[in-house]
């Protein structure tokens, strides 16, 4: 074997050994779907990759830090917060976020776990800030549908509701929603997103999962609710009694009206009947006056004689048809 050939094989073996060493040292790395990486060299960021694929790095020198590019969630701890009415409530929020700038995120936190404390503090601060500016009703409701009875009741029932509201000295205008729960959640998110953007975080939303009174206020709130409901119940009873009296008055008036009309009609019918009877009697009298007189006498005898036990004189004209031998005068 010549010296030239020996050098060739020696060079080839050296190259193969170097390639093998490079492969074992990992000059290539893969970024999977749903991940993003930060490449650091001697502690300094030299590159970032947010797309999936195969990439090169400097063995021994470059360090690869992998972060998720998917949406992450953060469940906050229940915190006491004051509302605009200075009522302490307990608010429990949940947030969705993702790493939008891996280089900023790495510079500020290093790891995902290391970001939770700061992220939680910023979210809690924005939540407290917004809640302190609005009433409790704004925090737990998203619309005024509960106050809107126009689509649920008739016009008469709506008037009844107004009367009851007046009885309990309540006006729905004092409980109107101007923002609502959804809008307040958006305001919380917008306020916190400005700060978190500086840390390479894109905050998607903040949602209050639970809102409740503190233990110290629960008993007093329940007592107030019982009092309010009792007041509403009494208002309904008073309104019902008023309606009952109103309808009873209408009933009596209608009854008197019907009775009066019925009496008028009965008298009219009786008058017409008497007139018809008089006409018939007159016609009968005109046809045979003697028979008419006889018939009327017989009718009178049937009514009067049964009521008299004894007759002491029959000489009266009244008895002509009863005792006359001819059966007439």
């Amino acid at each position: 074997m010549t010296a030239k050939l020996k050098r060739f094989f020696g060079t080839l073996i050296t190259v193969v050994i170097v390639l093998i060493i490079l492969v074992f040292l990992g000059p290539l790395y893969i970024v999977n779907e749903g991940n993003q990486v930060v490449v650091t060299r001697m502690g300094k960021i030299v590159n970032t990759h947010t797309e999936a694929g195969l990439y090169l790095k400097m063995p021994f020198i470059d360090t690869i830090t992998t972060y998720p590019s998917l949406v992450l969630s953060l469940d906050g701890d229940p915190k006491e917060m004051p509302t605009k009415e200075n009522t302490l409530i307990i608010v429990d929020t949940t947030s969705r976020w993702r790493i939008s700038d891996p280089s900023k995120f790495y510079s500020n936190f290093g790891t995902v776990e290391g970001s939770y404390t700061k992220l939680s503090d910023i979210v809690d601060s924005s939540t407290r800030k917004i809640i302190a500016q609005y009433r409790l009703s704004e925090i737990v409701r998203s619309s005024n549908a509960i106050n809107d009875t126009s689509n649920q009741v008739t016009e008469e029932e709506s008037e009844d509701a107004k009367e009851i509201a007046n009885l309990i000295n309540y006006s729905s205008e004092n409980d109107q929603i101007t923002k609502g729960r959804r809008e307040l959640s958006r305001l919380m998110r917008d306020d916190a997103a400005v700060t978190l953007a500086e840390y390479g975080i894109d905050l998607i939303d903040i949602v209050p999962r639970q809102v409740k009174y503190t233990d110290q206020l629960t008993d007093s709130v329940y007592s107030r609710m019982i009092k309010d409901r009792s007041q509403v119940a009494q208002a309904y009873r008073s309104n019902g009694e008023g309606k009952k009296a109103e309808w009873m008055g209408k009933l009596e008036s209608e009854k008197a009206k019907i009775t009066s009309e019925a009496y008028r009609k009965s008298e009219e019918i009786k008058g017409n009947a008497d007139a018809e009877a008089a006409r018939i009697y007159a016609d009968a009298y005109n046809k045979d006056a003697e028979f008419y007189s006889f018939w009327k006498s017989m009718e009178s005898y049937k009514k009067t004689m049964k009521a008299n036990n004894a007759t002491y004189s029959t000489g009266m004209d009244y008895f002509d048809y009863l005792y006359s031998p001819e059966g007439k005068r």
Side-chain angles (χ1 to χ4, degrees), residues 145-173:
I146 192 173
N147 295 330
D148 185 11
T149 59
S150 60
N151 296 325
Q152 304 172 12
V153 298
T154 63
E155 182 177 352
E156 183 177 354
E157 289 172 334
S158 181
E159 290 299 323
D160 289 345
K162 291 179 181 179
E163 291 181 13
I164 292 172
N166 292 331
L167 287 172
I168 61 177
N169 299 319
Y170 171 79
S171 174
S172 61
E173 294 179 359

Side-chain angles (χ1 to χ4, degrees), residues 281-294:
Y281 286 144
D283 289 345
Y285 180 81
N286 291 331
K287 288 183 178 180
D288 191 335
E290 185 66 26
F291 178 77
Y292 180 80
S293 178
F294 171 75

Side-chain angles (χ1 to χ4, degrees), residues 288-325:
D288 191 335
E290 185 66 26
F291 178 77
Y292 180 80
S293 178
F294 171 75
W295 180 258
K296 294 296 291 182
S297 295
M298 292 300 103
E299 290 291 321
S300 178
Y301 293 158
K302 285 193 292 183
K303 293 180 180 179
T304 60
M305 294 302 290
K306 66 173 64 175
N308 298 321
N309 296 324
T311 301
Y312 297 101
S313 174
T314 59
M316 295 182 294
D317 293 342
Y318 178 75
F319 295 105
D320 286 348
Y321 284 104
L322 184 63
Y323 294 106
S324 173

Side-chain angles (χ1 to χ4, degrees), residues 19 38 42 46 123 125 138 148 150-151 168 181 183 209 218 223 237 245-246 264 298 312 314:
L19 289 174
V38 174
M42 308 298 291
V46 296
V123 168
S125 177
E138 297 269 8
D148 185 11
S150 60
N151 296 325
I168 61 177
R181 181 169 181 158
E183 182 64 15
R209 292 188 304 177
T218 300
S223 298
R237 282 193 289 268
E246 178 183 346
R264 183 189 67 78
M298 292 300 103
Y312 297 101
T314 59

Side-chain angles (χ1 to χ4, degrees), residues 131-143:
I131 285 180
Q133 300 175 25
Y134 295 92
R135 293 177 288 107
L136 178 61
S137 56
E138 297 269 8
I139 301 166
V140 298
R141 286 162 45 194
S142 295
S143 70

Side-chain angles (χ1 to χ4, degrees), residues 41-253:
R41 186 174 301 159
M42 308 298 291
K44 182 179 179 182
I45 298 175
V46 296
N47 206 349
T48 60
H49 298 291
T50 58
E51 299 293 333
L54 184 65
Y55 298 94
L56 288 171
K57 70 174 182 176
M58 295 291 293
F60 294 111
I61 300 176
D62 290 349
T63 301
I64 307 299
T65 303
T66 303
Y67 298 121
S69 59
L70 304 175
V71 175
L72 305 174
S73 64
L74 173 68
D75 294 331
D77 296 325
K79 298 290 180 63
E80 286 189 2
M81 300 180 184
T83 64
K84 187 177 181 180
E85 310 101 312
N86 291 323
T87 301
L88 279 178
I89 58 175
I90 298 176
V91 181
D92 183 8
T93 62
T94 183
S95 308
R96 294 186 301 165
W97 60 285
R98 60 170 166 256
I99 300 172
S100 58
D101 190 332
S103 60
K104 286 184 179 180
F105 189 85
Y106 177 86
S107 299
N108 287 283
F109 305 114
T111 64
V112 173
E113 291 74 15
S115 67
Y116 287 148
T117 301
K118 187 66 175 180
L119 180 59
S120 181
D121 289 343
I122 294 174
V123 168
D124 288 345
S125 177
S126 296
T127 302
R128 185 183 300 273
K129 175 181 176 182
I130 298 302
I131 285 180
Q133 300 175 25
Y134 295 92
R135 293 177 288 107
L136 178 61
S137 56
E138 297 269 8
I139 301 166
V140 298
R141 286 162 45 194
S142 295
S143 70
N144 291 305
I146 192 173
N147 295 330
D148 185 11
T149 59
S150 60
N151 296 325
Q152 304 172 12
V153 298
T154 63
E155 182 177 352
E156 183 177 354
E157 289 172 334
S158 181
E159 290 299 323
D160 289 345
K162 291 179 181 179
E163 291 181 13
I164 292 172
N166 292 331
L167 287 172
I168 61 177
N169 299 319
Y170 171 79
S171 174
S172 61
E173 294 179 359
N174 296 328
D175 200 28
Q176 292 294 309
I177 302 302
T178 58
K179 296 292 184 182
R181 181 169 181 158
R182 293 190 185 94
E183 182 64 15
L184 294 189
S185 296
R186 187 189 65 79
L187 293 176
M188 296 173 194
R189 180 263 170 198
D190 292 346
D191 186 77
V194 175
T195 303
L196 290 175
E198 300 175 1
Y199 296 96
I201 294 176
D202 177 22
L203 183 62
I204 299 172
D205 58 21
I206 300 176
V207 179
R209 292 188 304 177
Q210 185 182 44
V211 178
K212 64 179 182 179
Y213 287 107
T214 60
D215 294 338
Q216 293 85 350
L217 287 175
T218 300
D219 292 339
S220 62
V221 169
Y222 285 162
S223 298
R224 189 182 68 183
M225 290 172 64
I226 293 172
K227 179 181 178 181
D228 290 344
R229 292 303 93 191
S230 298
Q231 188 178 9
V232 172
Q234 183 59 43
Y236 273 102
R237 282 193 289 268
S238 298
N239 186 67
E241 291 296 329
K243 290 296 180 182
K244 177 183 176 182
E246 178 183 346
W247 282 105
M248 290 300 294
K250 290 181 179 179
L251 178 64
E252 291 298 325
S253 176

